[in-house]
Amino acid sequence: RGVIALTFDAHGGLITVSFNGELYLSRRLDLTAVQLTEAAGDERTRLIDRVLVETQRSLDHCERTYPFFALSRLVIGPFAGDAALRAHLAANLYLPVEGLELGQIVRLPAEARGWNTAQQARWLKLIGAGLRVEKKAL
């Protein structure tokens, strides 16, 4: 089964869909982690609803385009405002919504096991790049 992931940083958001070790969809969002974290009231609701709509569009696209796999869960990468986003998506999507814990994916050194959300967010891209394997034939 496939996984849809949402990550946010200072440059924007990213929606990815992966299945069997392959990337099937990658979409950039022009919403940053800071915008989602610092927004309040109606503005915060509007931004979180926008993420919901873009996520639903991505889910619909995958269901129509890739009928040979189903999505099993949505994972949200760590950032300071991820709890509110996670709760909103969980209430409005048919998939289970989980927060990403780096310690569940990779073996971290002892001093990294107590990392808070902000510390995990800083290392997310670097760890992801380190796990990437590209095979090229010359």
Side-chain angles (χ1 to χ4, degrees), residues 2-57:
V3 174
I4 184 167
L6 286 172
T7 57
F8 293 91
D9 63 14
H11 305 290
L14 181 65
I15 299 174
T16 58
V17 175
S18 305
F19 170 69
N20 234 8
E22 297 290 329
L23 178 66
Y24 282 85
L25 176 74
S26 176
R27 293 184 63 203
R28 296 287 307 164
L29 300 175
D30 62 347
L31 293 172
T32 66
V34 173
Q35 286 175 302
L36 288 168
T37 303
E38 293 180 354
D42 290 341
E43 178 67 11
R44 182 181 187 97
T45 302
R46 187 185 67 75
L47 293 176
I48 289 176
D49 281 341
R50 192 165 145 210
V51 174
L52 173 64
V53 168
E54 294 302 327
T55 303
Q56 287 172 326
R57 286 180 180 159

Side-chain angles (χ1 to χ4, degrees), residues 1 4 71-75 89-90 93-98:
R1 297 183 58 120
I4 184 167
L71 293 168
S72 63
R73 63 193 164 118
L74 183 142
V75 178
L89 294 176
L93 295 174
Y94 65 90
L95 292 174
V97 178
E98 306 169 0

Side-chain angles (χ1 to χ4, degrees), residues 85-132:
L85 179 62
R86 190 176 337 140
H88 188 70
L89 294 176
N92 291 287
L93 295 174
Y94 65 90
L95 292 174
V97 178
E98 306 169 0
L100 176 67
E101 282 292 326
L102 291 178
Q104 294 175 347
I105 298 169
V106 294
R107 190 177 358 201
L108 297 172
E111 62 272 5
R113 291 193 185 111
W115 280 353
N116 63 29
T117 303
Q119 291 168 312
Q120 287 189 43
R122 277 194 299 257
W123 288 96
L124 182 63
K125 283 186 178 179
L126 183 62
I127 291 172
L131 293 173
R132 187 173 181 173

